[in-house]
Amino acid sequence: MESKNINSKPEISIIISTYNSEAWLEKVLWSYEAQRFKDFEIVIADDGSKQPTFDLIERMQKEVHYPIIHVWHEDNGFQKSQILNKAIVKCNADYILMSDGDCLAREDYVQVHIDNKEKGYFLSGGYFMLPMSISEAITKEDILSQDCFKLSWLKSQGLKSSFKNNKLTASGIKEKLLNKLTPTNASWNGHNASGWKSDILAVNGFDERMQYGGQDRELGERLFNLGIKSKQIRYSAICLHLDHPRGYKNQESINKNLAIRATTKDEKLSWTNYGIKKEA
C-alpha cells in the first residue's frame, strides 16, 4: 500500500497490533493524528483481519499526516507473535514503540517515549482500562480535542473514582514519584513498551511458539538476560484501553507460555530459536 514519506527514516516506528476490530483501530489511528510529536510511522501488525480492516487502513492513509504500513498474514488462529515479528522487520526507525489496536494514545504519548529513550534500556508503560460504555461513547472529536483523556469528561460519562485515576492527572514530582513507587514490575508490556530495534533483533524478537498470554513479558525477560535494563513510565506514557471480549483467551496456551518463560528464566536465555530468524 502506498504511504507518505516512505523513503525518509522516521525517528520512531510504532507497531499497532490488530485483528478484525476496525471500529477500535480507527479511534486508535485518530489518537496518533493528535500526537504532538510528528516524526513517526505506524506499522500495523494484522493477525489476519478481513476486508473491512483493509478498507479502513486505505481510507486512513489519506486522512492522517503519518505513513501507515500494513503488515498482514492469513488468519491461522491467535498468532500475534508471528505477525509482530513480521512487523518488526518492516520498521524503518532505529527505535520501536509497541501498542495495541485498542489503546488510545494521549497527545504526549509518543513524546514521552522519545524523551525517555536511552541506550541500554527499554521503557515500560501501562494502560488505563475503560468500561465498554465509555469505550463506545468516545468519538473522533473527543480524541482530537483530547477531552476523552480528561478526568472530568470521563466522570461525566460514568467513570468511578479510583486511585488509578492518578494515571490521568499525575504530573511533575507526583508523576515521577508514582513511577518510582508503583509495585508493578517494569516489564515489556505489549500495549505500551518501547526499545531499540537492534536490541529486539539481538534477542530474535518474539518466540513464535507462544500464542495468547505473556509473550511480551518473555521478550522482556530475554532482553534482561541480554543485559538490557528497563525504566518505568507507567504514570507518564498514558493510553486508554478500550474494552472488548477476549474470545482467544485460553488456559492451555497460558500454561504452555508459562513453561517457556520458566525455561527462559532458568537457563538465562537471551535468544529464541523460534523468532524472526528461524534455525535450519
Side-chain angles (χ1 to χ4, degrees):
M1 289 184 185
E2 277 309 299
S3 207
K4 301 175 185 73
N5 319 324
I6 206 71
N7 298 320
S8 61
K9 185 175 179 177
E11 180 84 10
I12 185 168
S13 296
I14 302 164
I15 296 178
I16 303 289
S17 63
T18 195
Y19 174 70
N20 284 331
S21 53
E22 53 282 347
W24 278 185
L25 180 60
E26 177 169 3
K27 294 184 192 205
V28 170
L29 293 175
W30 284 121
S31 78
Y32 285 95
E33 181 62 14
Q35 292 300 303
R36 289 188 208 143
F37 184 89
K38 300 289 188 195
D39 186 17
F40 63 85
E41 65 181 6
I42 295 271
V43 180
I44 295 178
D46 185 344
D47 193 15
S49 297
K50 295 184 170 63
Q51 193 59 42
T53 295
F54 281 79
D55 295 342
L56 168 71
I57 291 170
E58 207 171 322
R59 173 166 66 79
M60 291 299 287
Q61 283 173 325
K62 300 182 184 92
E63 296 189 27
V64 296
H65 76 273
Y66 52 83
I68 301 176
I69 299 164
H70 186 192
V71 184
W72 178 91
H73 65 188
E74 293 261 346
D75 189 351
N76 183 28
F78 189 93
Q79 299 294 353
K80 190 175 178 182
S81 299
Q82 289 181 15
I83 198 63
L84 285 171
N85 280 345
K86 289 169 184 162
I88 289 162
V89 173
K90 292 289 184 191
C91 289
N92 291 300
D94 295 330
Y95 197 75
I96 296 176
L97 165 57
M98 290 188 200
S99 190
D100 287 329
D102 53 17
C103 290
L104 301 182
R106 196 170 69 182
E107 63 183 1
D108 58 345
Y109 180 74
V110 180
Q111 187 71 59
V112 167
H113 279 272
I114 289 288
D115 290 346
N116 287 279
K117 70 183 168 71
E118 188 181 338
K119 284 284 186 197
Y121 287 85
F122 71 80
L123 303 177
S124 171
Y127 59 55
F128 187 90
M129 183 70 90
L130 295 179
M132 183 62 85
S133 58
I134 302 179
S135 302
E136 289 174 338
I138 293 173
T139 66
K140 171 187 170 184
E141 287 66 36
D142 299 326
I143 296 164
L144 295 179
S145 68
Q146 296 290 291
D147 284 347
C148 64
F149 295 94
K150 293 172 185 150
L151 198 50
S152 56
W153 186 90
L154 290 164
K155 285 192 164 174
S156 78
Q157 300 293 319
L159 185 74
K160 294 176 171 56
S161 293
S162 157
F163 179 79
K164 287 180 179 167
N165 294 353
N166 279 300
K167 271 190 194 166
L168 299 175
T169 56
S171 60
I173 303 278
K174 185 179 183 184
E175 177 192 326
K176 288 189 175 72
L177 198 62
L178 287 169
N179 279 332
K180 207 169 215 151
L181 296 177
T182 179
T184 314
N185 286 336
S187 51
W188 187 282
N189 301 326
H191 51 265
N192 188 349
S194 65
W196 298 92
K197 183 175 180 179
S198 55
D199 292 340
I200 297 166
L201 293 177
V203 298
N204 205 21
F206 290 90
D207 187 315
E208 294 183 6
R209 292 173 299 172
M210 299 181 80
Q211 290 169 294
Y212 177 79
Q215 74 273 66
D216 46 354
R217 302 292 175 86
E218 196 271 343
L219 172 80
E221 286 150 6
R222 279 184 286 111
L223 286 167
F224 287 139
N225 291 340
L226 189 68
I228 306 297
K229 299 186 182 77
S230 64
K231 280 201 264 187
Q232 183 67 266
I233 54 168
R234 206 173 175 74
Y235 286 87
S236 311
I238 304 306
C239 61
L240 300 176
H241 189 291
L242 304 170
D243 197 15
H244 56 86
R246 285 165 185 76
Y248 46 76
K249 190 171 182 176
N250 75 80
Q251 199 55 48
E252 188 190 351
S253 171
I254 291 167
N255 293 344
K256 180 179 133 186
N257 290 358
L258 285 171
I260 292 170
R261 286 176 67 186
T263 304
T264 296
K265 192 178 178 188
D266 296 344
E267 299 182 14
K268 297 186 169 52
L269 302 176
S270 61
W271 179 266
T272 172
N273 289 335
Y274 305 92
I276 293 168
K277 284 188 177 159
K278 309 292 185 282
E279 296 298 300

Coordinates of all heavy atoms in Angstrom, one line a residue, residues 26-64:
E26 N -9.8 2.4 14.2 CA -9.9 3.8 13.7 C -9.7 4.8 14.8 O -9.1 5.8 14.6 CB -11.3 4.0 13.1 CG -11.5 5.4 12.6 CD -12.8 5.6 11.7 OE1 -13.5 4.7 11.5 OE2 -12.9 6.8 11.3
K27 N -10.3 4.6 16.0 CA -10.2 5.5 17.1 C -8.7 5.7 17.5 O -8.2 6.7 17.7 CB -11.0 5.1 18.3 CG -12.5 5.1 18.1 CD -13.3 4.7 19.3 CE -14.7 4.5 19.0 NZ -15.7 4.7 20.1
V28 N -8.0 4.5 17.5 CA -6.6 4.5 17.8 C -5.8 5.3 16.8 O -4.9 6.1 17.2 CB -6.0 3.0 17.9 CG1 -4.5 3.0 18.0 CG2 -6.7 2.4 19.1
L29 N -6.0 5.1 15.5 CA -5.3 5.9 14.5 C -5.6 7.4 14.6 O -4.6 8.2 14.4 CB -5.7 5.3 13.1 CG -5.2 3.9 12.8 CD1 -5.7 3.4 11.5 CD2 -3.7 3.8 12.9
W30 N -6.8 7.8 15.0 CA -7.0 9.2 15.2 C -6.2 9.7 16.4 O -5.8 10.9 16.4 CB -8.5 9.5 15.4 CG -9.3 9.5 14.1 CD1 -10.3 8.6 13.8 CD2 -9.1 10.3 12.9 NE1 -10.8 8.9 12.5 CE2 -10.0 9.9 12.0 CE3 -8.1 11.3 12.6 CZ2 -10.0 10.5 10.7 CZ3 -8.2 11.9 11.4 CH2 -9.1 11.5 10.4
S31 N -6.0 8.9 17.4 CA -5.2 9.3 18.6 C -3.8 9.6 18.2 O -3.1 10.5 18.8 CB -5.3 8.3 19.7 OG -4.5 7.2 19.5
Y32 N -3.3 8.9 17.1 CA -1.9 9.2 16.7 C -1.9 10.5 15.8 O -0.8 11.2 15.7 CB -1.3 8.0 16.0 CG -0.9 7.0 17.0 CD1 -1.7 5.9 17.4 CD2 0.3 7.1 17.7 CE1 -1.4 5.0 18.4 CE2 0.7 6.2 18.7 CZ -0.2 5.2 19.1 OH 0.1 4.3 20.1
E33 N -3.0 10.8 15.1 CA -3.1 12.0 14.4 C -2.9 13.2 15.3 O -2.4 14.3 14.9 CB -4.4 12.1 13.6 CG -4.6 13.3 12.8 CD -3.6 13.5 11.6 OE1 -2.8 12.5 11.3 OE2 -3.6 14.6 11.1
A34 N -3.4 13.0 16.6 CA -3.4 14.1 17.6 C -2.0 14.3 18.3 O -1.9 15.1 19.2 CB -4.5 13.9 18.6
Q35 N -1.0 13.4 18.0 CA 0.2 13.5 18.7 C 1.0 14.8 18.5 O 1.0 15.3 17.4 CB 1.1 12.3 18.3 CG 0.6 10.9 18.7 CD 0.5 10.8 20.2 OE1 1.5 11.0 21.0 NE2 -0.7 10.5 20.7
R36 N 1.6 15.3 19.5 CA 2.4 16.5 19.4 C 3.7 16.2 18.6 O 4.2 17.0 17.9 CB 2.8 17.0 20.8 CG 1.6 17.7 21.5 CD 2.1 18.3 22.8 NE 1.0 18.4 23.8 CZ 1.2 18.2 25.1 NH1 2.5 18.0 25.5 NH2 0.2 18.3 25.9
F37 N 4.3 15.0 18.9 CA 5.5 14.6 18.2 C 5.0 13.9 16.9 O 4.2 13.0 16.9 CB 6.3 13.6 19.1 CG 7.6 13.1 18.4 CD1 8.7 13.9 18.7 CD2 7.6 12.1 17.6 CE1 9.9 13.5 18.1 CE2 8.9 11.7 17.0 CZ 10.0 12.4 17.2
K38 N 5.6 14.4 15.8 CA 5.0 14.0 14.5 C 5.9 13.1 13.7 O 5.4 12.5 12.7 CB 4.8 15.3 13.6 CG 3.8 16.3 14.2 CD 2.4 15.8 14.2 CE 1.4 16.9 14.7 NZ 0.1 16.3 15.0
D39 N 7.2 12.9 14.0 CA 8.1 12.2 13.1 C 8.1 10.7 13.4 O 9.0 10.1 14.0 CB 9.5 12.7 13.3 CG 10.5 12.1 12.3 OD1 10.0 11.5 11.3 OD2 11.7 12.2 12.5
F40 N 7.0 10.0 13.0 CA 6.8 8.6 13.3 C 6.1 8.0 12.1 O 5.5 8.6 11.3 CB 6.1 8.3 14.6 CG 4.7 8.8 14.6 CD1 3.6 8.1 14.1 CD2 4.4 10.1 15.2 CE1 2.3 8.5 14.2 CE2 3.1 10.5 15.2 CZ 2.0 9.8 14.7
E41 N 6.2 6.6 12.0 CA 5.4 5.8 11.1 C 4.6 4.8 12.0 O 5.1 4.5 13.1 CB 6.3 5.1 10.1 CG 7.2 4.1 10.7 CD 8.1 3.3 9.8 OE1 8.1 3.7 8.6 OE2 8.8 2.4 10.2
I42 N 3.5 4.4 11.5 CA 2.7 3.3 12.1 C 2.8 2.1 11.3 O 2.6 2.1 10.0 CB 1.2 3.7 12.2 CG1 1.0 4.9 13.1 CG2 0.3 2.5 12.7 CD1 0.8 4.7 14.6
V43 N 3.2 1.0 11.9 CA 3.3 -0.3 11.3 C 2.2 -1.2 11.9 O 2.2 -1.5 13.1 CB 4.7 -1.0 11.4 CG1 4.7 -2.3 10.8 CG2 5.8 0.0 10.9
I44 N 1.2 -1.5 11.1 CA 0.0 -2.3 11.7 C 0.3 -3.8 11.5 O 0.5 -4.3 10.4 CB -1.3 -1.9 11.0 CG1 -1.6 -0.4 11.3 CG2 -2.4 -2.8 11.4 CD1 -2.9 0.1 10.7
A45 N 0.4 -4.4 12.7 CA 0.6 -5.9 12.7 C -0.7 -6.6 12.7 O -1.4 -6.6 13.8 CB 1.5 -6.3 14.0
D46 N -1.2 -7.0 11.6 CA -2.5 -7.5 11.4 C -2.6 -9.0 11.4 O -2.1 -9.6 10.4 CB -3.1 -6.9 10.1 CG -4.6 -7.2 9.9 OD1 -5.1 -8.1 10.6 OD2 -5.2 -6.5 9.0
D47 N -3.2 -9.6 12.4 CA -3.1 -11.1 12.6 C -4.2 -11.8 11.8 O -4.9 -12.7 12.3 CB -3.3 -11.4 14.1 CG -2.9 -12.9 14.4 OD1 -2.3 -13.6 13.6 OD2 -3.3 -13.3 15.5
G48 N -4.5 -11.3 10.5 CA -5.4 -12.0 9.7 C -6.8 -11.4 9.5 O -7.8 -12.1 9.3
S49 N -6.9 -10.0 9.7 CA -8.2 -9.4 9.6 C -8.8 -9.5 8.2 O -8.1 -9.7 7.2 CB -8.1 -7.9 9.9 OG -7.7 -7.7 11.2
K50 N -10.1 -9.3 8.1 CA -10.8 -9.4 6.8 C -10.9 -8.0 6.1 O -10.3 -7.0 6.6 CB -12.2 -9.9 7.0 CG -12.2 -11.4 7.5 CD -13.6 -12.0 7.7 CE -13.5 -13.5 7.9 NZ -12.8 -13.8 9.2
Q51 N -11.6 -7.9 5.0 CA -11.6 -6.7 4.1 C -12.0 -5.4 4.9 O -11.3 -4.4 4.5 CB -12.6 -7.0 3.0 CG -12.5 -5.9 1.9 CD -11.2 -5.9 1.2 OE1 -10.5 -6.9 1.0 NE2 -10.7 -4.7 0.9
P52 N -12.9 -5.3 5.8 CA -13.2 -4.1 6.4 C -11.9 -3.4 7.0 O -11.8 -2.1 7.0 CB -14.2 -4.4 7.5 CG -14.9 -5.6 7.0 CD -13.8 -6.4 6.3
T53 N -11.0 -4.1 7.6 CA -9.8 -3.5 8.1 C -8.9 -3.0 7.0 O -8.3 -1.9 7.1 CB -9.0 -4.6 8.9 OG1 -9.7 -4.9 10.1 CG2 -7.6 -4.0 9.4
F54 N -8.8 -3.7 5.8 CA -8.1 -3.2 4.7 C -8.7 -1.9 4.2 O -8.0 -0.9 3.9 CB -8.1 -4.2 3.5 CG -7.2 -5.3 3.7 CD1 -7.4 -6.4 4.5 CD2 -6.0 -5.3 2.9 CE1 -6.5 -7.5 4.6 CE2 -5.1 -6.4 3.1 CZ -5.4 -7.5 3.9
D55 N -10.0 -1.8 4.1 CA -10.7 -0.6 3.7 C -10.5 0.6 4.6 O -10.2 1.7 4.2 CB -12.2 -0.9 3.6 CG -12.6 -1.9 2.5 OD1 -11.7 -2.2 1.7 OD2 -13.7 -2.5 2.6
L56 N -10.5 0.3 5.9 CA -10.3 1.3 6.9 C -8.9 1.9 6.7 O -8.7 3.1 6.7 CB -10.4 0.8 8.3 CG -9.9 1.7 9.4 CD1 -10.8 3.0 9.6 CD2 -9.7 1.0 10.7
I57 N -7.9 1.0 6.6 CA -6.5 1.5 6.6 C -6.3 2.3 5.3 O -5.6 3.3 5.3 CB -5.5 0.3 6.6 CG1 -5.6 -0.3 8.0 CG2 -4.1 0.7 6.3 CD1 -4.9 -1.7 8.2
E58 N -6.8 1.8 4.2 CA -6.7 2.6 2.9 C -7.3 4.0 3.0 O -6.7 5.0 2.6 CB -7.5 1.8 1.8 CG -6.9 2.1 0.4 CD -7.5 1.1 -0.6 OE1 -7.7 0.0 -0.3 OE2 -7.7 1.6 -1.7
R59 N -8.4 4.1 3.7 CA -9.1 5.4 3.9 C -8.2 6.3 4.9 O -8.0 7.5 4.6 CB -10.5 5.2 4.5 CG -11.1 6.6 4.9 CD -12.6 6.4 5.2 NE -12.9 5.6 6.3 CZ -12.9 6.0 7.6 NH1 -12.5 7.2 7.8 NH2 -13.2 5.2 8.6
M60 N -7.8 5.7 6.0 CA -7.0 6.5 7.0 C -5.6 6.9 6.4 O -5.2 8.0 6.8 CB -6.8 5.6 8.2 CG -8.0 5.4 9.0 SD -8.9 6.9 9.6 CE -7.7 7.4 11.0
Q61 N -5.1 6.2 5.5 CA -3.8 6.6 4.9 C -3.9 7.9 4.2 O -3.0 8.7 4.1 CB -3.3 5.5 3.9 CG -2.7 4.3 4.6 CD -2.4 3.2 3.6 OE1 -3.1 3.0 2.6 NE2 -1.3 2.5 3.9
K62 N -5.1 8.3 3.7 CA -5.4 9.5 3.0 C -5.7 10.6 4.0 O -5.7 11.8 3.7 CB -6.5 9.4 2.0 CG -6.3 8.3 0.9 CD -7.5 8.3 -0.1 CE -7.3 7.2 -1.1 NZ -7.9 5.9 -0.7
E63 N -6.1 10.3 5.2 CA -6.6 11.3 6.2 C -5.7 11.7 7.3 O -5.9 12.7 8.0 CB -8.0 10.7 6.8 CG -9.1 10.6 5.8 CD -10.4 10.3 6.4 OE1 -10.7 10.6 7.5 OE2 -11.2 9.6 5.7
V64 N -4.6 10.9 7.5 CA -3.7 11.3 8.6 C -2.3 11.7 8.0 O -2.0 11.5 6.8 CB -3.4 10.0 9.5 CG1 -4.7 9.7 10.2 CG2 -2.9 8.8 8.7

